[in-house]
Amino acid sequence: MLGGRNIGGRKRSSRQGASVTLAEVAELAEVSEITVSRILRNKGPVAEATRKRVMAAVEATGYVPNRLAGGLASAGSGLIGVIVPSLTNIVFPEVLRGIHAALDRSGLQPVVGVTGYDMEAEEHLVEALLAWKPQAMVIAGFDHTERTRRMLQASGVRIAEVMEIDSKPIDIAVGLSHRQAGFDTGRHLIERGYRRFGYVGHDWCADRRARLRYDGLAACLAEHGLGLVDEALFEGPSSTIAGRDMLARLLARQPDIDVVVFSNDDMATGGVFHCIAASIRLKEDVAIFGFNGLDIGQALPVPLSTIRSNRFLIGRTAIERILERHERPEGATIVDTGYEIVIGGTA
Amino acid sequence: MLGGRNIGGRKRSSRQGASVTLAEVAELAEVSEITVSRILRNKGPVAEATRKRVMAAVEATGYVPNRLAGGLASAGSGLIGVIVPSLTNIVFPEVLRGIHAALDRSGLQPVVGVTGYDMEAEEHLVEALLAWKPQAMVIAGFDHTERTRRMLQASGVRIAEVMEIDSKPIDIAVGLSHRQAGFDTGRHLIERGYRRFGYVGHDWCADRRARLRYDGLAACLAEHGLGLVDEALFEGPSSTIAGRDMLARLLARQPDIDVVVFSNDDMATGGVFHCIAASIRLKEDVAIFGFNGLDIGQALPVPLSTIRSNRFLIGRTAIERILERHERPEGATIVDTGYEIVIGGTA
DNA sequence: CTGTTAGCGCCTTCAA
DNA sequence: TTGAAGGCGCTAACAG
């Protein structure tokens, strides 16, 4: 086929992969490089006959375009930088899912960095990812070093700061108001008749959004002339075990608390487990309230009362908004993806 | 400082970011481009004075290297392609964690693709990621289309197929034998005196590894002259809710089953919830056994009996092995990351 | 220790 | 409808 022309004459670098280049495909198809390039990108007019010949050559050689070269020659790299603090906490993989869903078949690929809730690490990652000349950048939260902020600002590309909307973004923020969510938690529980509030939380240094919810809750209680009876804080990341242990500790100190607000569903699930194991009746003896609306909470023997944040939606929306417009607009934008109170059976 | 030299004279393309280039830094520092390049990469000998001057220029300009250009000019892109079937199932984020951990400060970045358990989608992803000329490729499982396998093979880069080791890899496999794990599950439970086995599973089309475990279990039972009394299969992805519902259904049909093996911990956790809600005594009335060894299982009111696979280790090991050697060796390698039976309290 | 030359593989701009 | 020339930003290989 194709006359079996020998394309071996060209001097080939002996480098990685020794992959087929546009030039080789062009030679085999007996057209110029640019014609092959045009056909592969569906750009500009091409004769059907030429297209067929070229596609055959592409097939025959097993050509895979080099996007490094493509990105360098044209403007965009076709990469999206994504920075999350953790993959352990299920909420971030869910944001990633949303990002992948929105990116599907766009020809763009996410390059993911994980900070481990460390702002220094984040700074290095931003620098590293910016070196790929990404089309855009998605980053969790507003907690950046001054230099990180400068780099993002100077990059000129679109920046989505996701998860929260309680601060002013560089470009666009997508998420929910954690402070308001905390406030609404308090109001909801007060309306349901609870008065003696406890709180079980995890490390705030790492998770500033948990702190915002706490602040909102405290503000709400204060507004109603109430306050937290007691709180138990775990010095580490949130986990089911931590929630279980901390609730045990809190109830040992304050047996007459009637509702405990947890920093998130993982912790709250642990609280539910403690109650089951210790034969404490949920809601009657003590009520439990979480945050996130994870699937696991709804599968518990008694469905967890909580607030559903929309992680998938956050990821998807961030990408959608960013792709709408390639250049960064003048003012900042805030997109509120909202939240809903999930009634459940534990509060 | 630096005499405030004007670097504006150079014609600048008005393209994306209009970012600072090596040439500009070089001009400002009054050295050649290659010198700046060397300094930034710590390659070759450089006078301390020059280094200082160059670093100052880098600072002053806010230079960010362009890795597209760097990758094109040198051999490696500095990208690692990673393909997973899902981010919903927590095991894959855990593998990603291992990958990120091993990549930390290596200067390599993962580019992640998600297939949704779809081999067509996987094929597109492999093609797309290969276009970035990745240094290596990590991909979950052995289930690829013929073309996918050809592309991976032809790429010449190192390929790690992770999660399982029950088939022959293209280059290197890192994971555990799911068939053997299933077999050992059977043996362990038989040793503990269980005889009337039930099985609760999820969609096998998507999750072939669950199928392998099932086959191993069945083989073990057969070897002991036993068989599954009954099984309940959920037509969809694994989830806690599904496990809960399916166990309810199974026990309604077969009240005298004494142990139920679940396709994984998510499903098994649902099973535990069903028992708690229905006041079925775990182990006495019915025993439950999972697979994965997730944290959630160990935080349950009764810790789940299960098998711990080592997802983090799988991800980390895959990267470590791959980075050991840049060229793909002749023969295939298999790395068994093993598993342990977690005794727990449900079986 | 530093610079020169010559690409990497592709795409943009112009011309035919 | 196709092609030629030049360059994207960087680095390898050799000089000096």
Side-chain angles (χ1 to χ4, degrees), chain A residues 15 22 34 37 41 63 66 69 73:
Chain A
R15 303 191 307 149
L22 208 50
I34 185 62
S37 172
R41 286 175 300 140
Y63 172 69
N66 183 335

Side-chain angles (χ1 to χ4, degrees), chain B residues 40-327:
Chain B
L40 260 26
R41 286 174 302 143
N42 304 310
K43 262 208 170 173
V46 198
E48 192 47 36
T50 323
R51 146 170 278 113
K52 279 228 176 86
R53 203 144 36 87
V54 166
M55 291 316 281
V58 167
E59 276 298 313
T61 53
Y63 173 68
V64 176
N66 183 337
R67 293 198 65 173
L68 295 177
L72 184 59
S74 63
S77 65
L79 256 15
I80 304 280
V82 179
I83 298 184
V84 294
S86 154
L87 290 170
T88 310
N89 188 338
I90 187 72
V91 306
F92 297 109
E94 289 185 17
V95 173
L96 286 185
R97 277 208 308 125
I99 290 174
H100 274 96
L103 247 25
D104 188 47
R105 314 217 158 262
S106 68
L108 301 171
Q109 296 290 342
V111 186
V112 180
V114 180
T115 68
Y117 292 99
D118 176 344
M119 281 168 53
E120 292 293 313
E122 185 188 67
E123 183 175 310
H124 288 301
L125 272 174
V126 166
E127 190 166 17
L129 294 195
L130 247 21
W132 292 105
K133 304 290 159 188
Q135 227 73 63
M137 200 85 159
V138 179
I139 185 165
F142 291 109
D143 255 3
H144 318 303
T145 66
E146 199 39 60
R147 177 149 173 271
T148 298
R149 206 181 316 277
R150 269 207 313 280
M151 287 190 293
L152 290 173
Q153 182 65 60
S155 74
V157 303
R158 300 226 54 187
I159 311 287
E161 288 163 288
V162 299
M163 302 313 283
E164 43 176 317
I165 55 176
D166 295 292
S167 306
K168 183 168 182 300
I170 296 172
D171 174 3
I172 180 168
V174 182
L176 59 109
S177 169
H178 288 258
R179 201 173 188 290
Q180 189 63 48
F183 194 95
D184 286 357
T185 296
R187 193 166 51 195
H188 174 72
L189 294 172
I190 289 169
E191 277 170 9
R192 291 176 85 88
Y194 297 106
R195 290 297 177 271
R196 299 189 52 77
F197 281 73
Y199 177 84
V200 166
H202 62 280
D203 189 13
W204 280 338
C205 308
D207 192 341
R208 205 179 52 107
R209 288 176 283 280
R211 176 61 191 262
L212 286 169
R213 296 193 292 274
Y214 175 88
D215 290 344
L217 172 66
C220 177
L221 294 184
E223 225 174 66
H224 289 77
L226 297 170
L228 285 172
V229 174
D230 199 358
E231 54 190 66
L233 297 181
F234 176 67
E235 315 240 336
S238 69
S239 71
T240 314
I241 296 262
R244 195 176 161 172
D245 295 346
M246 289 298 112
L247 180 61
R249 190 172 306 179
L250 184 73
L251 292 181
R253 287 202 303 252
Q254 309 284 350
D256 57 349
I257 277 179
D258 55 28
V259 61
V260 179
V261 176
F262 285 74
S263 50
N264 65 28
D265 277 8
D266 293 290
M267 300 289 285
T269 298
V272 170
F273 290 166
H274 170 70
C275 291
I276 291 172
S279 298
I280 296 170
R281 288 169 306 167
L282 286 160
K283 212 151 96 171
E284 281 133 297
D285 296 336
V286 64
I288 284 181
F289 200 88
F291 176 83
N292 261 334
L294 301 185
D295 289 345
I296 181 78
Q298 300 316 302
L300 292 175
V302 181
L304 183 64
S305 299
T306 184
I307 285 194
R308 180 180 301 115
S309 58
N310 302 303
R311 288 85 55 189
F312 181 89
L313 181 63
I314 289 175
R316 182 152 62 79
T317 307
I319 295 297
E320 284 170 358
R321 291 308 193 94
I322 270 179
L323 295 187
E324 267 173 16
R325 211 175 169 309
H326 266 204
E327 325 78 60

Side-chain angles (χ1 to χ4, degrees), chain A residues 244-323:
Chain A
R244 197 177 158 169
D245 295 346
M246 288 299 112
L247 180 61
R249 188 172 306 179
L250 184 73
L251 291 181
R253 286 202 304 252
Q254 309 283 350
D256 58 347
I257 277 179
D258 53 27
V259 61
V260 179
V261 176
F262 284 76
S263 50
N264 65 28
D265 277 8
D266 294 289
M267 300 289 285
T269 298
V272 170
F273 290 166
H274 169 72
C275 292
I276 291 173
S279 299
I280 296 169
R281 287 169 307 170
L282 286 160
K283 212 151 100 171
E284 281 131 297
D285 296 336
V286 63
I288 284 182
F289 200 88
F291 176 83
N292 260 336
L294 301 186
D295 288 345
I296 181 77
Q298 299 317 299
L300 292 174
V302 181
L304 183 64
S305 299
T306 185
I307 284 193
R308 179 179 300 118
S309 59
N310 302 303
R311 289 83 59 188
F312 181 89
L313 182 63
I314 289 175
R316 182 152 63 79
T317 307
I319 295 296
E320 285 171 356
R321 290 308 192 96
I322 271 179
L323 295 187

Side-chain angles (χ1 to χ4, degrees), chain A residues 55-235:
Chain A
M55 291 315 282
V58 167
E59 276 297 312
T61 52
Y63 172 69
V64 175
N66 183 335
R67 292 197 65 171
L68 296 178
L72 182 58
S74 63
S77 66
L79 292 172
I80 304 281
V82 179
I83 297 183
V84 293
S86 154
L87 289 171
T88 310
N89 188 337
I90 186 69
V91 306
F92 297 109
E94 290 187 15
V95 174
L96 287 186
R97 277 207 309 125
I99 290 175
H100 273 95
L103 246 27
D104 187 48
R105 315 214 158 262
S106 68
L108 302 171
Q109 296 289 342
V111 187
V112 181
V114 180
T115 69
Y117 292 99
D118 176 345
M119 280 167 57
E120 292 294 313
E122 184 187 70
E123 184 174 311
H124 288 300
L125 272 174
V126 166
E127 192 165 16
L129 294 194
L130 247 20
W132 291 105
K133 303 293 162 187
Q135 227 73 61
M137 202 85 157
V138 178
I139 186 165
F142 291 109
D143 256 1
H144 319 303
T145 66
E146 198 41 58
R147 179 149 172 272
T148 299
R149 208 181 312 278
R150 268 208 311 281
M151 286 192 291
L152 290 173
Q153 181 66 59
S155 73
V157 303
R158 299 226 53 186
I159 312 286
E161 289 164 287
V162 299
M163 302 316 282
E164 44 176 317
I165 56 174
D166 294 293
S167 306
K168 184 169 181 299
I170 297 171
D171 175 2
I172 179 168
V174 181
L176 58 108
S177 168
H178 288 258
R179 199 171 189 292
Q180 189 63 46
F183 194 96
D184 285 356
T185 296
R187 192 165 50 190
H188 174 73
L189 293 171
I190 289 171
E191 276 171 9
R192 290 176 84 87
Y194 298 106
R195 290 297 177 273
R196 296 189 55 78
F197 281 73
Y199 177 84
V200 167
H202 63 280
D203 189 15
W204 280 338
C205 307
D207 192 343
R208 205 180 50 107
R209 288 176 283 280
R211 175 62 191 260
L212 287 169
R213 296 192 292 272
Y214 174 89
D215 289 345
L217 173 66
C220 177
L221 294 183
E223 225 172 65
H224 289 76
L226 298 170
L228 285 173
V229 174
D230 198 358
E231 54 190 65
L233 297 182
F234 175 67
E235 314 241 337

